[in-house]
Amino acid sequence: KQGFPMKQGVLTANRVRLLLAKGHSCYRERRDGERRRKSVRGCIVDQNLSVISLVIVKKGEQEIDGLTNRLVPRVRGPKRANKIRKLFNLSKDDDVRKYVVRKTLKAKEGKKEKTAAPKIQRLITPIRLQRKRRVLSLKKKRAIKQQLQSSEYAKMLAVYQKEKRERKRSASARKSSTRESQSK
């Protein structure tokens, strides 16, 4: 009812506050060496528990009526395409859509019985292949465009640097000629 975890080894049916550290159940340390006092419930099961989360490890000699003595059909099958293939041992060529586990819905009066099936995930359709091709072609186009632009830029930069060198050379030649004329 209160949402406190049961801790093994605490032999009471009520809550206790324990100092917990790394390695203890019901606790996760946030810093190295941190210890914290936390509320935990004892491991004794009584009528105050509303839910017990457990896993049945071993089946006993007797059947539990309504639990172990009846077969429950699978309501839901796998949703992912490859898991459906694995369940029905299909090849890549088989159509997965024909093997989906369908659930029959309650029929309304005077109407045909309907079935519901999950949307198959990771199903490779012609549209998906088309989109993949489109994305790859766009990627290639972008790469080619980038190469062209970078080569154009490199040419422009080379021309600009050449002009800059020429200007610098002519300016230094002008300066040296003016110095020579002033020295005479």
Side-chain angles (χ1 to χ4, degrees):
K1 287 174 184 173
Q2 290 93 8
F4 291 98
M6 294 172 82
K7 186 165 172 60
Q8 210 164 14
V10 180
L11 300 172
T12 68
N14 49 9
R15 258 185 284 162
V16 289
R17 284 176 63 78
L18 298 175
L19 188 65
L20 302 174
K22 184 182 179 178
H24 290 144
S25 59
C26 312
Y27 177 69
R28 177 173 65 87
E29 68 169 358
R30 307 304 197 270
R31 299 178 67 171
D32 279 349
E34 182 187 28
R35 297 187 305 169
R36 192 166 281 184
R37 196 168 293 282
K38 307 233 18 151
S39 284
V40 291
R41 191 193 184 282
C43 66
I44 295 171
V45 176
D46 65 352
Q47 72 277 1
N48 292 330
L49 290 172
S50 54
V51 174
I52 299 176
S53 180
L54 54 87
V55 176
I56 298 171
V57 177
K58 189 178 160 190
K59 189 177 175 183
E61 339 44 86
Q62 291 180 327
E63 299 282 334
I64 301 169
D65 192 39
L67 185 67
T68 57
N69 62 353
R70 72 183 177 116
L71 282 169
V72 181
R74 268 184 92 163
V75 179
R76 290 198 173 104
K79 190 177 164 82
R80 192 185 296 174
N82 276 342
K83 293 200 174 176
I84 295 168
R85 281 193 193 100
K86 189 178 172 187
L87 180 69
F88 293 106
N89 200 17
L90 305 174
S91 67
K92 292 266 184 186
D93 305 324
D94 295 322
D95 189 10
V96 178
R97 290 171 291 188
K98 293 175 184 170
Y99 293 90
V100 182
V101 177
R102 300 187 76 84
K103 180 184 173 184
T104 54
L105 302 172
K106 289 177 185 171
K108 292 179 182 172
E109 287 179 34
K111 291 197 176 178
K112 207 165 85 172
E113 196 177 65
K114 286 186 177 180
T115 59
K119 180 178 177 281
I120 303 169
Q121 299 296 317
R122 299 193 191 177
L123 182 67
I124 285 125
T125 58
I127 293 168
R128 187 158 173 195
L129 292 170
Q130 184 182 331
R131 283 184 188 143
K132 190 177 180 180
R133 283 195 301 271
R134 184 172 176 270
V135 167
L136 287 170
S137 68
L138 287 172
K139 217 178 196 181
K140 281 180 187 172
K141 280 179 189 172
R142 276 200 301 270
I144 291 164
K145 187 181 172 187
Q146 190 66 37
Q147 280 180 337
L148 287 169
Q149 284 181 340
S150 61
S151 63
E152 280 179 35
Y153 178 71
K155 284 175 191 171
M156 282 174 51
L157 197 65
V159 169
Y160 173 72
Q161 284 175 340
K162 194 176 181 184
E163 286 174 1
K164 195 175 177 183
R165 267 190 247 112
E166 292 295 325
R167 280 199 300 265
K168 203 172 182 183
R169 214 175 277 135
S170 63
S172 63
R174 234 184 286 123
K175 274 186 186 177
S176 63
S177 64
T178 52
R179 267 196 229 116
E180 285 173 14
S181 61
Q182 284 176 356
S183 61
K184 288 179 184 175

